[in-house]
Coordinates of all heavy atoms in Angstrom, one line a residue:
M83 N 110.9 121.0 109.1 CA 109.8 120.6 108.3 C 110.2 119.4 107.5 O 109.4 118.5 107.3 CB 109.3 121.7 107.4 CG 108.2 121.4 106.6 SD 107.4 122.8 106.0 CE 106.6 122.2 104.6
S84 N 111.4 119.4 107.0 CA 111.8 118.3 106.1 C 111.9 116.9 106.8 O 111.7 115.9 106.3 CB 113.1 118.6 105.4 OG 113.5 117.6 104.5
R85 N 112.2 117.0 108.1 CA 112.2 115.8 108.9 C 110.8 115.1 108.9 O 110.7 113.9 108.8 CB 112.7 116.1 110.3 CG 113.0 114.8 111.1 CD 113.6 115.2 112.4 NE 113.9 113.9 113.1 CZ 114.2 113.9 114.4 NH1 114.2 114.9 115.1 NH2 114.4 112.7 115.0
E86 N 109.8 115.9 109.0 CA 108.4 115.4 108.9 C 108.2 114.8 107.5 O 107.5 113.9 107.4 CB 107.4 116.5 109.2 CG 107.1 116.7 110.7 CD 106.6 115.4 111.3 OE1 105.7 114.7 110.8 OE2 107.1 115.1 112.4
G87 N 108.8 115.5 106.5 CA 108.6 115.0 105.2 C 109.2 113.6 105.0 O 108.6 112.8 104.4
W88 N 110.3 113.4 105.6 CA 111.0 112.0 105.6 C 110.1 111.0 106.3 O 109.9 109.9 105.8 CB 112.3 112.0 106.2 CG 113.4 112.6 105.3 CD1 114.0 113.8 105.3 CD2 113.9 111.9 104.2 NE1 114.9 113.9 104.3 CE2 114.9 112.8 103.6 CE3 113.7 110.7 103.6 CZ2 115.6 112.4 102.4 CZ3 114.5 110.3 102.5 CH2 115.4 111.2 101.9
K89 N 109.5 111.4 107.4 CA 108.6 110.5 108.2 C 107.4 110.1 107.3 O 107.0 109.0 107.2 CB 108.2 111.1 109.5 CG 109.3 111.1 110.5 CD 108.8 111.6 111.8 CE 109.9 111.7 112.9 NZ 109.5 112.3 114.1
D90 N 106.8 111.1 106.7 CA 105.6 110.9 105.9 C 106.0 110.1 104.6 O 105.2 109.2 104.3 CB 105.1 112.3 105.4 CG 104.5 113.1 106.5 OD1 104.2 112.5 107.6 OD2 104.3 114.3 106.3
F91 N 107.2 110.3 104.1 CA 107.6 109.6 102.9 C 107.8 108.1 103.3 O 107.4 107.2 102.5 CB 108.9 110.2 102.3 CG 109.4 109.5 101.1 CD1 108.7 109.5 99.9 CD2 110.7 108.9 101.1 CE1 109.2 108.9 98.8 CE2 111.2 108.3 100.0 CZ 110.4 108.3 98.8
L92 N 108.5 107.8 104.4 CA 108.7 106.5 104.8 C 107.4 105.7 105.1 O 107.2 104.6 104.8 CB 109.6 106.4 106.0 CG 111.0 106.8 105.8 CD1 111.8 106.9 107.1 CD2 111.7 105.9 104.8
H93 N 106.4 106.5 105.7 CA 105.1 105.9 106.0 C 104.4 105.5 104.7 O 103.9 104.4 104.6 CB 104.3 107.0 106.7 CG 102.9 106.5 107.1 ND1 102.7 105.7 108.2 CD2 101.7 106.7 106.6 CE1 101.4 105.4 108.3 NE2 100.8 106.1 107.3
A94 N 104.5 106.4 103.6 CA 104.0 106.0 102.3 C 104.7 104.8 101.7 O 104.0 104.0 101.1 CB 104.0 107.2 101.4
A95 N 106.0 104.8 101.8 CA 106.7 103.7 101.2 C 106.4 102.4 101.9 O 106.4 101.3 101.2 CB 108.2 104.0 101.3
E96 N 106.1 102.4 103.2 CA 105.8 101.1 103.9 C 104.5 100.5 103.4 O 104.2 99.3 103.4 CB 105.7 101.4 105.4 CG 107.0 101.6 106.0 CD 106.8 102.1 107.5 OE1 105.7 102.4 107.9 OE2 107.8 102.0 108.2
R97 N 103.6 101.4 102.8 CA 102.3 101.0 102.4 C 102.1 100.8 100.9 O 101.0 100.4 100.5 CB 101.2 101.9 103.0 CG 101.1 101.7 104.5 CD 100.6 102.9 105.2 NE 100.4 102.7 106.6 CZ 101.4 102.5 107.5 NH1 102.6 102.5 107.1 NH2 101.1 102.2 108.8
S98 N 103.1 101.2 100.1 CA 102.9 101.1 98.7 C 104.0 100.2 98.0 O 105.1 100.6 97.9 CB 103.1 102.6 98.1 OG 103.2 102.5 96.7
P99 N 103.5 99.0 97.6 CA 104.4 98.1 96.9 C 105.0 98.8 95.6 O 106.2 98.5 95.3 CB 103.5 96.9 96.5 CG 102.4 97.0 97.5 CD 102.2 98.4 97.8
A100 N 104.3 99.6 94.9 CA 104.8 100.3 93.7 C 105.9 101.2 94.1 O 107.0 101.3 93.4 CB 103.7 101.0 93.0
L101 N 105.7 102.0 95.2 CA 106.8 102.9 95.6 C 108.0 102.1 96.1 O 109.1 102.5 95.8 CB 106.3 103.8 96.7 CG 107.2 104.8 97.3 CD1 107.9 105.7 96.2 CD2 106.5 105.7 98.3
Q102 N 107.8 101.0 96.7 CA 108.9 100.1 97.2 C 109.7 99.6 96.0 O 110.9 99.7 96.0 CB 108.4 98.9 98.0 CG 107.8 99.3 99.3 CD 107.1 98.2 100.0 OE1 107.2 97.0 99.7 NE2 106.2 98.5 101.0
R103 N 109.0 99.2 94.9 CA 109.8 98.8 93.7 C 110.6 99.9 93.1 O 111.7 99.7 92.7 CB 108.8 98.2 92.7 CG 108.3 96.8 93.1 CD 107.5 96.2 91.9 NE 106.3 97.0 91.6 CZ 105.1 96.9 92.2 NH1 105.0 96.0 93.2 NH2 104.1 97.6 91.8
E104 N 110.0 101.1 93.1 CA 110.7 102.2 92.6 C 111.9 102.6 93.4 O 113.0 102.9 92.9 CB 109.7 103.4 92.5 CG 110.2 104.5 91.6 CD 109.1 105.6 91.4 OE1 107.9 105.4 91.8 OE2 109.5 106.6 90.8
L105 N 111.8 102.5 94.7 CA 112.9 102.8 95.6 C 114.0 101.8 95.5 O 115.2 102.1 95.6 CB 112.4 102.9 97.1 CG 111.5 104.1 97.3 CD1 110.9 104.0 98.7 CD2 112.3 105.4 97.2
N106 N 113.6 100.5 95.3 CA 114.6 99.5 95.1 C 115.5 99.7 93.9 O 116.6 99.2 93.9 CB 113.9 98.1 95.1 CG 113.5 97.6 96.5 OD1 114.1 98.0 97.5 ND2 112.5 96.8 96.5
A107 N 115.0 100.4 92.9 CA 115.7 100.6 91.7 C 116.7 101.8 91.8 O 117.5 102.0 90.9 CB 114.7 100.8 90.5
C108 N 116.6 102.5 92.9 CA 117.4 103.7 93.1 C 118.9 103.3 93.3 O 119.2 102.4 93.9 CB 117.0 104.5 94.3 SG 115.4 105.3 94.1
K109 N 119.7 104.2 92.7 CA 121.2 104.0 92.8 C 121.8 104.7 94.0 O 122.9 104.5 94.4 CB 121.9 104.3 91.5 CG 121.4 103.5 90.3 CD 122.4 103.5 89.2 CE 121.9 102.8 88.0 NZ 121.7 101.4 88.2
G110 N 121.1 105.7 94.5 CA 121.6 106.5 95.6 C 120.5 107.4 96.3 O 119.4 107.4 95.8
T111 N 121.0 108.1 97.3 CA 120.1 108.9 98.0 C 119.4 110.0 97.2 O 118.2 110.3 97.4 CB 120.8 109.6 99.2 OG1 121.5 108.5 100.0 CG2 119.9 110.3 100.2
E112 N 120.1 110.6 96.3 CA 119.6 111.6 95.4 C 118.4 111.1 94.6 O 117.4 111.8 94.4 CB 120.7 112.2 94.5 CG 121.7 113.1 95.3 CD 121.0 114.3 95.9 OE1 120.1 114.9 95.4 OE2 121.5 114.7 97.0
D113 N 118.5 109.9 94.1 CA 117.4 109.3 93.4 C 116.1 109.2 94.3 O 115.0 109.5 93.9 CB 117.7 107.9 92.9 CG 118.8 107.9 91.8 OD1 119.1 109.0 91.2 OD2 119.4 106.8 91.6
I114 N 116.4 108.8 95.5 CA 115.2 108.7 96.5 C 114.6 110.1 96.8 O 113.4 110.2 96.8 CB 115.7 108.1 97.8 CG1 116.2 106.6 97.6 CG2 114.7 108.1 98.9 CD1 116.9 106.0 98.7
I115 N 115.5 111.0 96.9 CA 115.0 112.4 97.2 C 114.1 112.9 96.0 O 113.1 113.5 96.1 CB 116.1 113.4 97.5 CG1 116.7 113.0 98.8 CG2 115.7 114.8 97.4 CD1 118.0 113.8 99.2
Q116 N 114.6 112.6 94.8 CA 113.9 113.0 93.6 C 112.5 112.4 93.5 O 111.5 113.0 93.1 CB 114.7 112.8 92.3 CG 115.9 113.6 92.2 CD 115.6 115.1 92.3 OE1 114.7 115.6 91.7 NE2 116.4 115.9 93.1
I117 N 112.4 111.1 93.8 CA 111.1 110.4 93.8 C 110.2 111.0 94.8 O 109.1 111.3 94.5 CB 111.3 108.9 94.1 CG1 112.0 108.2 92.9 CG2 110.0 108.2 94.4 CD1 112.5 106.8 93.2
G118 N 110.7 111.3 96.0 CA 109.9 111.9 97.1 C 109.4 113.3 96.7 O 108.2 113.6 96.9
K119 N 110.3 114.1 96.1 CA 109.9 115.4 95.7 C 108.8 115.4 94.6 O 107.9 116.1 94.6 CB 111.1 116.2 95.3 CG 111.9 116.7 96.5 CD 113.1 117.5 96.0 CE 113.9 118.0 97.2 NZ 115.0 118.9 96.8
R120 N 109.0 114.4 93.7 CA 108.1 114.3 92.6 C 106.7 113.9 93.1 O 105.7 114.3 92.6 CB 108.6 113.2 91.6 CG 107.6 112.9 90.5 CD 108.2 111.9 89.5 NE 108.8 110.7 90.2 CZ 108.1 109.5 90.3 NH1 106.9 109.4 89.9 NH2 108.7 108.5 91.0
L121 N 106.7 113.2 94.2 CA 105.4 112.8 94.8 C 104.9 113.8 95.8 O 103.8 113.6 96.5 CB 105.6 111.4 95.5 CG 105.9 110.2 94.6 CD1 106.2 109.0 95.4 CD2 104.8 110.0 93.6
G122 N 105.6 114.9 96.0 CA 105.1 116.0 96.8 C 105.6 116.0 98.2 O 105.0 116.8 99.1
F123 N 106.6 115.2 98.6 CA 107.1 115.2 99.9 C 108.3 116.2 100.0 O 109.0 116.4 99.1 CB 107.7 113.8 100.3 CG 106.6 112.8 100.4 CD1 106.3 112.0 99.3 CD2 105.9 112.6 101.5 CE1 105.3 111.0 99.3 CE2 104.9 111.7 101.6 CZ 104.6 110.9 100.5
A124 N 108.3 116.9 101.2 CA 109.4 117.9 101.5 C 110.6 117.1 102.0 O 110.7 116.8 103.2 CB 108.9 118.9 102.4
L125 N 111.5 116.8 101.1 CA 112.7 116.1 101.5 C 114.0 116.9 101.3 O 114.1 117.6 100.3 CB 112.8 114.8 100.7 CG 111.6 113.8 100.7 CD1 111.9 112.6 99.8 CD2 111.3 113.4 102.1
C126 N 114.9 116.7 102.2 CA 116.2 117.5 102.2 C 117.3 116.5 102.7 O 117.1 115.9 103.7 CB 116.1 118.7 103.1 SG 117.6 119.6 103.3
L127 N 118.4 116.5 101.9 CA 119.5 115.6 102.3 C 120.1 116.0 103.6 O 120.5 115.1 104.4 CB 120.5 115.6 101.2 CG 121.7 114.7 101.3 CD1 121.3 113.2 101.4 CD2 122.7 114.8 100.2
D128 N 120.2 117.2 103.9 CA 120.8 117.7 105.2 C 120.0 117.1 106.4 O 120.6 116.7 107.4 CB 120.8 119.2 105.3 CG 121.9 119.8 104.5 OD1 122.9 119.0 104.1 OD2 121.9 121.0 104.2
D129 N 118.7 117.1 106.3 CA 117.9 116.5 107.4 C 118.1 115.0 107.6 O 118.2 114.5 108.7 CB 116.4 116.8 107.2 CG 116.0 118.2 107.4 OD1 116.7 118.9 108.1 OD2 115.0 118.6 106.8
L130 N 118.3 114.3 106.5 CA 118.6 112.9 106.6 C 120.0 112.7 107.2 O 120.2 111.8 108.0 CB 118.5 112.3 105.2 CG 118.7 110.8 105.1 CD1 117.6 110.0 105.9 CD2 118.7 110.3 103.7
N131 N 120.9 113.5 106.8 CA 122.3 113.3 107.3 C 122.4 113.7 108.8 O 123.2 113.1 109.5 CB 123.3 114.2 106.5 CG 123.5 113.7 105.1 OD1 123.4 112.5 104.8 ND2 123.9 114.6 104.2
H132 N 121.6 114.6 109.2 CA 121.7 115.1 110.6 C 120.7 114.4 111.5 O 120.6 114.7 112.7 CB 121.6 116.6 110.7 CG 122.7 117.3 110.0 ND1 123.7 116.7 109.4 CD2 122.8 118.6 109.8 CE1 124.5 117.6 108.9 NE2 124.0 118.8 109.1
D133 N 119.8 113.6 110.9 CA 118.8 113.0 111.7 C 119.3 112.1 112.9 O 118.7 112.2 114.0 CB 117.8 112.1 110.8 CG 116.6 111.7 111.5 OD1 115.9 112.6 112.0 OD2 116.4 110.5 111.7
A134 N 120.3 111.4 112.7 CA 120.9 110.5 113.7 C 121.4 111.4 114.9 O 121.1 111.1 116.1 CB 122.0 109.7 113.2
Q135 N 122.0 112.5 114.6 CA 122.5 113.4 115.6 C 121.3 114.0 116.3 O 121.3 114.1 117.6 CB 123.3 114.5 115.0 CG 123.8 115.5 116.0 CD 124.7 116.6 115.4 OE1 124.8 116.7 114.2 NE2 125.2 117.5 116.2
A136 N 120.3 114.5 115.6 CA 119.1 115.1 116.2 C 118.4 114.0 117.1 O 117.9 114.3 118.2 CB 118.2 115.6 115.2
E137 N 118.3 112.8 116.7 CA 117.7 111.7 117.4 C 118.4 111.5 118.7 O 117.8 111.3 119.8 CB 117.6 110.5 116.6 CG 116.7 109.4 117.2 CD 115.3 109.7 117.0 OE1 114.9 110.5 116.1 OE2 114.5 109.2 117.9
A138 N 119.8 111.4 118.7 CA 120.6 111.2 119.8 C 120.4 112.3 120.9 O 120.3 112.1 122.1 CB 122.1 111.1 119.5
I139 N 120.4 113.6 120.4 CA 120.2 114.7 121.3 C 118.8 114.6 121.9 O 118.7 114.9 123.1 CB 120.4 116.0 120.5 CG1 121.9 116.2 120.1 CG2 119.9 117.2 121.3 CD1 122.1 117.3 119.1
G140 N 117.8 114.3 121.1 CA 116.4 114.2 121.7 C 116.3 113.1 122.7 O 115.7 113.3 123.8
K141 N 117.0 112.0 122.5 CA 117.0 110.9 123.5 C 117.7 111.3 124.8 O 117.3 111.0 125.9 CB 117.6 109.6 122.9 CG 116.7 108.9 122.0 CD 117.4 107.6 121.5 CE 116.6 106.9 120.4 NZ 117.2 105.7 119.9
W142 N 118.8 112.0 124.6 CA 119.5 112.5 125.8 C 118.6 113.4 126.6 O 118.6 113.3 127.9 CB 120.8 113.2 125.4 CG 121.6 113.7 126.6 CD1 122.5 112.9 127.2 CD2 121.5 114.9 127.2 NE1 123.0 113.7 128.3 CE2 122.4 114.9 128.3 CE3 120.8 116.1 127.0 CZ2 122.6 116.0 129.1 CZ3 121.0 117.2 127.9 CH2 121.9 117.1 128.9
F143 N 117.9 114.4 126.0 CA 117.1 115.2 126.8 C 115.9 114.5 127.4 O 115.5 114.8 128.5 CB 116.5 116.4 125.9 CG 117.4 117.5 125.8 CD1 118.1 117.8 124.7 CD2 117.5 118.4 126.8 CE1 119.0 118.9 124.6 CE2 118.4 119.5 126.8 CZ 119.1 119.8 125.6
D144 N 115.4 113.5 126.7 CA 114.3 112.7 127.3 C 114.8 111.9 128.6 O 114.0 111.8 129.5 CB 113.8 111.7 126.3 CG 113.0 112.3 125.2 OD1 112.6 113.5 125.4 OD2 112.8 111.6 124.2
Q145 N 116.0 111.5 128.6 CA 116.6 110.7 129.7 C 117.2 111.6 130.8 O 117.5 111.1 131.9 CB 117.6 109.7 129.2 CG 117.0 108.7 128.3 CD 118.0 107.8 127.6 OE1 119.2 108.0 127.8 NE2 117.5 106.8 126.8
S146 N 117.5 112.8 130.5 CA 118.1 113.7 131.4 C 117.2 114.3 132.5 O 116.0 114.1 132.4 CB 118.8 114.8 130.7 OG 117.9 115.8 130.3
R147 N 117.7 114.9 133.4 CA 116.9 115.6 134.5 C 116.6 117.0 134.1 O 116.1 117.7 134.9 CB 117.6 115.5 135.8 CG 117.8 114.1 136.3 CD 118.6 114.1 137.6 NE 118.8 112.7 137.9 CZ 118.8 112.2 139.2 NH1 118.6 113.1 140.2 NH2 119.1 111.0 139.4
I148 N 117.0 117.4 132.9 CA 116.8 118.8 132.5 C 115.4 119.1 132.1 O 114.9 120.2 132.1 CB 117.8 119.2 131.4 CG1 119.2 119.1 131.9 CG2 117.5 120.5 130.8 CD1 120.2 119.3 130.8
N149 N 114.6 118.1 131.9 CA 113.2 118.3 131.5 C 112.6 119.3 132.3 O 111.8 119.8 132.6 CB 112.4 117.0 131.5 CG 113.0 116.0 130.5 OD1 113.5 116.4 129.5 ND2 112.8 114.7 130.8

């Protein structure tokens, strides 16, 4: 569920100059997560850290013959 939260949060950030300014002022990932949570997004650091691995696994399955 949190991975969807990240996608929704990024979608909002792409469309909001005010949110972009706020994110530019962040000193680290925890600051970004706090902003997202304050705005009602379901964000989790673990999902962000493991997203690259999950993406690679998903691409492998898409390209494999196991489908």
